[in-house]
Amino acid sequence: MTGAAAAPRSHTSTGTTTSTTTGTSTTPGSSQGHSGLGDLLLNRMTTPAGYIGTTPTELIGRSRDLERLAAVTAAPDAGLVTVTGPAGVGKSRLVMEFFRHRGDGPGGGVEVFDFAQVTDTSVAGLMLRQLREQCYEGSPAVRKALERVAAGKHTLLFDHYEDVADDLAPLLAEFRRCCPQVRIVCVGTARLGLYGERVVRIGPLATGDPAPAVPAAPAANPAVELFVQCARSVRPEFALTAENAPDVLALCRQAGGLPLAIELAAAQITLAEPDLILERFENDPGDLHRPDHHPYSRHASIADMVAWVLARLRPEERTQLVHLAVFQGPFTMRAAVGVLDGLHGAAYRTMERLIDKSVLIPDEQHDGELRLSIPHALRRAAAGLLARLPVHTALRRAHAEHFRSAAAGAWAAGGRPGPGPEARADLLAAFEHWRQAGDGTAMAAIAHALYAQCASPAQSSVGLGAGAFAVEAGQCLRLAEEALRVLPADDHRLLARTLEAAGDLALRLASPAARDHLTRAYAAHRAAHDEQGALRCLTLLGEEAYAAGEPDRARRCFEEAHAAALPSAQSGTSAGSADSVATRRHLVRRLAAVLRDAGDLPRARELALAGLAEELGEPGGPGHGSGALLTRYVLATVRWREHDSAQARALFADAAEQIGTLSESAPERAECLELLAVTLNAWHRVTDWPALTATLALADHLRRRSGRARPKPLRDMVGPVLATAAQELTAEQFAGAVASGPAMTWHDALRLIPAAPPAPPPAPVPAAAAVPPPPAPSAVATALTKRELEVALLVAEGMTNRIIARELGIAEWTVVNHLRKVMRKLGCQSRVQVTRRLSST
C-alpha cells in the first residue's frame, strides 16, 4: 500500500476531537509512507467530515440507550464496546449523538473509520489482512503507527464493519493487546465475538398505547414523535390530530417501531395523508424509499435493507430465519422448540448467531424467560419465503397445535397464566388454522385465551386504551361466537365457559347479546354441575340487568347469587370457600349499590352496614383490604344521598379519597365522580359548573379506559346534570370544560365537596316540635361518658378514626383512647362487636 495520503482533518465538537481521514491509493501491499493508522486502514475510503458534528434533527426516544452506553463505556474494563442492533434501528445516529455530547473531553480524540464509504469491500478486507500480518511480523511502520494513535487517551470508532468483520476482529484483538489504553467502539448489526467485548443492544422505538387518550400530545410515544418530526421536515404544516392519530399509530406499529421504516413512511407525507401511506405500507412496504442521501444510513428503502440483511446470512441461518417466520410475533425458546421439530445442537448455535447478527432480538422478561422477536420488515419478507416452501404446511400445523396446547393447558390448570398479550397475533393465526380444520374445541380454547387477555385489567383497559379495547374485545367476541357454532354440544363444561366468555365480552361492549349468552352459560354450568361457574353467571346477569336499567331483575339475580354463595362460604373447608366469601361480600356491595340507585336508601344502608361490619372483622385490623374500602364507599354514598350533613360529607370525602387510590380500571372510580356530581346537583350545592362538567368528563374518560359503559340508572341521573351544566355555561365554556376533564386530578374533583353547611340555614324548629335523636340504650348510656358515647355511635356508622376525629374536633389518638375505653366498658374486643352491641340493645 503505497501512495500519498492527505493529512487527517480534525473536527472539534463539545470538547471531542474527531479525526477523519481522506486520501488516494495506489497499490495495496506496501507499508511505507503512511502517516498514521487511519492511512493504513482507510487508504481507499473517506469518512464524512460531519460524522460527529452538528446534528440535523433531534434524537428521539433514546435517552435510556444513551445512559446505557455511557454506563458501559465508563466501566474500567470497557476496552472494546460494540453497539449492535437490527438494520435501520439508528445505531450510527445514536453513537454520533453520544460522542457529540459525552466524548472524552478536552485532550481526548475520537478517530472514525466508516466502512460504509468503501466501494470495494474485498480490497478493504485485503488491506486489513495485510495489516494484521504486519502486526504479527512486528513491522516497525505499523508499530510506530499504533504508538502514535495510542499516545493519548483516544477512542477508535469503527462503523458499518459487517462486510469486513472476519478480517477486522483479529486485528482489533491484536490492537487491544498492544494498546490497552485505547478504547474501541464498533457499530454494526453483528457483534465481533472477541474476548472481553461489551455489547450494547439497541432496539426499535416503543410504539406505545395504540389508542392514546390525548392524540395531540405524541411526546409519550417516541415512534409517533419521530414520525411527526420527519413529516414536518418535508411538510412543515403537518400536525397530529384526533383524525389522523390512529393511522399514524398504525403506521408506526406496522413499521415495528423501526426508525428507518418510520422515516421512509413519513417522507411520503408530501403527497399523501397517513391513511393512504398506511394502505401503501400494508400492501408493499418495500416500495417505500428515500430520494436523497442519508448521512448515517446506507439503506435507501425497506427492500434494500431486507435484501442486505438476507445476503449476509449463511444458508443455514437463512433457513432457520425463514422457519422462525411462522411466528407472528415475539416467541420464547420453549415455543421455538415446540414448533420447530429437531431444534437441537447445531440449530441452537445457528440461533445464537442470528442473535449476534441482530436478526433475532432478545428481550429478558420479568420471570427470567428470554423472548425473541424478528424485526417486522424482515419477518414479513421471511414469511413470504416460507409460504412458498413445502415445509410451510407442517410448520403451520405445529404452530397451531402449540398455541392450542398452551391455551387449553392454562384453561385446565385454572390458576396457570395463559399466553400473554404479545402472543395475540399467534393466537389469531392458530385460530384461523383450526377454523379451516373445523375443530371447534381448539377454537374455543384459543378464543378463551384471547378473552382472558381482554378481561385482565392490566391488559385491557389501561394497557390497551379505550378504542383498541373495543376493537380487540369485539374481535374476541366474534371468535367466541364462531367457536360456539361448531362446538360439540355434549361438552357442557367447554360450552359453558365459552358462553360465559362471550357473555362477559358482550356485557363490556354493551351488546344486547349479553343476556342470551349469560343465560345459556348459566344453564350449561348447571348441567356440568359447576356451581362456581353458575354463580359467576348469575352475578354477570345481575350486572347486565343493572346496566340495562332493570333494578328489580338485578336485585333478584344478586339475591339468588348471594343465597347460592352462602353455603360454600360458611363451610370454611377449602380455598374455594375463601373465594365464595369474597364473592358473597362483593354481591352484598352490588346489591346495596343497586338499591341505592333505585332509591331504596334505608335497605341499601342496612346492607352496607352489615357488609362493613363483616369486612372489619377480618384479620389485619379494621379498614384493611379493598373489600372494606369498597363497602365503606357504598355506605358513604348512601349516607350522603340520605342527608346533606357535615357527617355525611366527611364520610363521603374520606371514602372518595381512598377510591382515588385504586387503579383506573376500577369501575367505582367513575361511579364516585358521577355520584358526586349528581348529589351536589340534587342538594343545590353546585358552585363551580365548569369544574363539575370537567369532573363528569373525567368520569367518562375513566369509563372508556375501563371498558365499562355507564349503566342506565346512572345515565338517567347524570343526563339532567349535564343538561343543567349546558344551560349554565356558554357553548365555549362547556366544550372547554369537557376537553379539560381527562387531565383533571382526583383531588381537583374532591374540592367540589362543600365543607360549610348550606346557606341560608333552615329555620329553627321550636323546642316543643323538635324531634329528639333516638336515645341510646340505657345500659350503654349509663356505662359510657358523653364523649365515649359519641365515639361509639360514629363507630357504628362505619366511620374511620380519622373521620371521627374530624367530626368531633379532637385528635385521632384521642379517638383511639376513647374507643379502647368503650370496648373495655362494653366488654367488646373489636369495632364489629361495638356496632353489634349498639344495634342489639
Side-chain angles (χ1 to χ4, degrees):
M1 293 185 294
T2 61
R9 293 178 296 173
S10 295
H11 304 273
T12 303
S13 174
T14 319
T16 301
T17 302
T18 306
S19 296
T20 61
T21 306
T22 64
T24 59
S25 171
T26 55
T27 305
S30 173
S31 60
Q32 299 177 358
H34 291 291
S35 60
L37 187 61
D39 297 328
L40 292 170
L41 289 179
L42 304 177
N43 209 17
R44 285 186 175 271
M45 74 183 198
T46 61
T47 303
Y51 188 94
I52 302 177
T54 303
T55 56
T57 57
E58 179 187 359
L59 187 64
I60 292 174
R62 294 301 188 189
S63 57
R64 291 186 179 180
D65 294 319
L66 288 171
E67 291 172 0
R68 286 194 298 123
L69 182 56
V72 171
T73 54
D77 59 345
L80 174 59
V81 177
T82 299
V83 179
T84 185
V89 82
K91 302 177 292 296
S92 300
R93 175 72 174 84
L94 178 119
V95 172
M96 180 273 296
E97 185 76 8
F98 173 78
F99 281 112
R100 190 169 73 91
H101 289 288
R102 312 187 189 192
D104 290 323
V110 179
E111 193 160 1
V112 179
F113 306 110
D114 187 1
F115 288 94
Q117 307 303 314
V118 175
T119 57
D120 190 343
T121 56
S122 63
V123 174
L126 176 61
M127 294 168 59
L128 292 172
R129 286 193 295 274
Q130 290 175 342
L131 184 58
R132 185 181 62 188
E133 291 170 359
Q134 292 172 16
C135 286
Y136 290 157
E137 295 171 358
S139 169
V142 176
R143 293 289 179 182
K144 186 176 181 180
L146 294 177
E147 291 172 0
R148 181 188 67 78
V149 173
K153 189 179 180 181
H154 288 275
T155 295
L156 299 184
L157 174 60
F158 297 90
D159 199 358
H160 300 106
Y161 59 81
E162 292 87 352
D163 290 330
V164 295
D166 292 339
D167 298 312
L168 180 63
L171 179 63
L172 293 183
E174 178 66 18
F175 185 79
R176 288 195 64 201
R177 188 182 68 80
C178 297
C179 307
Q181 75 276 19
V182 176
R183 180 175 59 185
I184 300 174
V185 176
C186 298
V187 185
T189 56
R191 63 187 297 262
L192 293 169
L194 295 177
Y195 180 76
E197 178 183 17
R198 304 288 294 273
V199 177
V200 178
R201 298 187 188 276
I202 308 300
L205 293 174
T207 54
D209 188 342
V214 187
N221 191 322
V224 173
E225 189 177 2
L226 177 63
F227 182 94
V228 173
Q229 181 194 76
C230 296
R232 287 175 178 168
S233 66
V234 297
R235 183 174 152 189
E237 68 277 9
F238 176 79
L240 194 69
T241 65
E243 290 73 25
N244 64 25
D247 293 321
V248 173
L249 276 164
L251 261 172
C252 294
R253 292 171 64 84
Q254 188 75 12
L258 196 69
L260 173 63
I262 294 173
E263 291 172 5
L264 293 178
Q268 314 304 310
I269 205 72
T270 303
L271 296 175
E273 293 301 322
D275 58 335
L276 297 178
I277 302 174
L278 176 60
E279 182 179 352
R280 181 181 176 188
F281 204 151
E282 290 174 340
N283 293 333
D284 186 9
D287 186 45
L288 300 180
H289 65 280
R290 63 162 55 98
D292 52 353
H293 173 72
H294 195 284
Y296 310 114
S297 176
R298 68 172 92 207
H299 307 297
S301 69
I302 298 295
D304 290 345
M305 181 194 72
V306 171
W308 183 88
V309 173
L310 292 177
R312 281 152 183 79
L313 297 180
R314 299 175 182 176
E316 67 275 14
E317 294 170 351
R318 192 178 310 167
T319 300
Q320 188 82 292
L321 170 66
V322 170
H323 288 178
L324 289 171
V326 71
F327 290 100
Q328 307 294 310
F331 57 90
T332 63
M333 277 300 299
R334 193 189 314 276
V337 170
V339 174
L340 305 185
D341 188 26
L343 190 61
H344 303 287
Y348 271 85
R349 290 190 290 274
T350 300
M351 291 191 70
E352 289 175 351
R353 291 198 301 271
L354 290 176
I355 293 176
D356 288 342
K357 293 185 176 182
S358 300
V359 174
L360 289 180
I361 311 301
D363 183 19
E364 190 80 20
Q365 299 302 291
H366 295 297
D367 58 3
E369 190 169 21
L370 191 67
R371 192 171 67 191
L372 303 170
S373 61
I374 306 173
H376 185 80
L378 188 59
R379 195 212 71 81
R380 180 166 181 155
L385 296 174
L386 176 63
R388 296 193 289 269
L389 296 179
V391 74
H392 177 240
T393 302
L395 284 177
R396 189 182 175 203
R397 184 186 309 113
H399 172 273
E401 179 60 35
H402 171 79
F403 283 95
R404 181 202 65 80
S405 299
W411 188 346
R416 196 176 88 185
E422 72 282 351
R424 179 176 179 82
D426 286 288
L427 288 170
L428 291 172
F431 186 93
E432 178 62 27
H433 173 85
W434 294 118
R435 173 164 50 192
Q436 295 175 3
D439 191 332
T441 301
M443 292 166 63
I446 294 175
H448 196 274
L450 291 167
Y451 158 72
Q453 294 178 10
C454 288
S456 170
Q459 318 227 352
S460 59
S461 56
V462 179
L464 285 176
F469 171 77
V471 171
E472 295 196 1
Q475 183 184 39
C476 184
L477 175 59
R478 290 191 296 272
L479 297 183
E481 292 175 337
E482 189 172 347
L484 286 169
R485 287 194 288 270
V486 294
L487 196 61
D490 56 347
D491 192 341
H492 296 292
R493 183 174 178 81
L494 185 60
L495 177 64
R497 294 291 294 272
T498 308
L499 283 166
E500 181 184 346
D504 188 22
L505 288 168
L507 176 61
R508 290 170 180 262
L509 295 169
S511 169
R515 182 184 303 186
D516 178 65
H517 287 323
L518 291 172
T519 302
R520 292 174 57 199
Y522 174 72
H525 277 304
R526 295 296 299 269
H529 305 289
D530 184 356
E531 297 302 327
Q532 290 300 315
L535 180 60
R536 290 194 304 270
C537 288
L538 265 179
T539 303
L540 289 173
L541 281 168
E543 297 291 352
E544 183 276 326
Y546 174 64
E550 302 179 31
D552 289 339
R553 185 164 65 88
R555 177 182 55 78
R556 289 195 300 270
C557 289
F558 286 138
E559 287 176 343
E560 184 177 350
H562 180 267
L566 191 59
S568 55
Q570 292 177 340
S571 62
T573 57
S574 64
S577 64
D579 293 337
S580 297
V581 169
T583 300
R584 184 174 55 81
R585 292 176 180 174
H586 168 74
L587 289 167
V588 169
R589 289 194 297 272
R590 295 306 297 140
L591 186 56
V594 168
L595 292 172
R596 175 201 64 199
D597 295 339
D600 191 353
L601 297 180
R603 175 62 177 154
R605 176 165 53 86
E606 180 184 349
L607 280 172
L609 279 170
L612 182 61
E614 186 173 354
E615 293 282 359
L616 294 178
E618 282 292 289
H624 288 261
S626 60
L629 166 60
L630 296 175
T631 307
R632 182 178 289 113
Y633 157 72
V634 174
L635 177 61
T637 57
V638 173
R639 295 297 288 164
W640 195 27
R641 293 193 64 191
E642 281 183 319
H643 301 289
D644 182 18
S645 64
Q647 177 181 323
R649 289 196 304 275
L651 185 62
F652 179 82
D654 187 72
E657 184 177 346
Q658 295 179 63
I659 286 291
T661 63
L662 299 180
S663 68
E664 288 192 5
S665 61
E668 287 82 6
R669 289 194 63 173
E671 178 187 279
C672 179
L673 297 178
E674 291 158 354
L675 289 176
L676 168 62
V678 168
T679 308
L680 285 174
N681 185 59
W683 292 115
H684 304 289
R685 304 278 272 143
V686 181
T687 58
D688 190 340
W689 281 105
L692 189 77
T693 305
T695 299
L696 288 176
L698 175 59
D700 284 335
H701 167 69
L702 293 175
R703 286 202 177 276
R704 288 193 299 270
R705 300 283 287 177
S706 68
R708 297 278 189 180
R710 182 178 290 145
K712 188 176 183 303
L714 284 174
R715 287 203 307 270
D716 294 341
M717 290 188 286
V718 169
V721 181
L722 285 173
T724 305
Q727 294 176 354
E728 295 287 338
L729 303 173
T730 66
E732 183 178 357
Q733 290 174 331
F734 186 82
V738 171
S740 66
M744 190 178 194
T745 67
W746 194 260
H747 290 289
D748 288 338
L750 295 190
R751 290 193 185 100
L752 291 172
I753 302 174
V765 180
V771 180
S778 57
V780 173
T782 303
L784 304 179
T785 65
K786 181 178 182 296
R787 180 63 80 185
E788 291 168 354
L789 182 59
E790 290 175 340
V791 170
L793 290 173
L794 293 177
V795 167
E797 287 288 336
M799 292 190 177
T800 63
N801 291 342
R802 181 172 56 176
I803 298 179
I804 296 174
R806 188 188 308 163
E807 287 300 302
L808 299 181
I810 58 179
E812 188 172 348
W813 182 247
T814 305
V815 174
V816 173
N817 286 332
H818 282 309
L819 184 56
R820 288 175 177 172
K821 294 177 182 178
V822 168
M823 291 181 180
R824 185 174 64 252
K825 291 180 179 180
L826 300 183
C828 300
Q829 302 295 322
S830 67
R831 302 169 75 96
V832 177
Q833 293 182 5
V834 171
T835 301
R836 291 173 178 170
R837 177 68 184 276
L838 290 176
S839 61
S840 61
T841 57

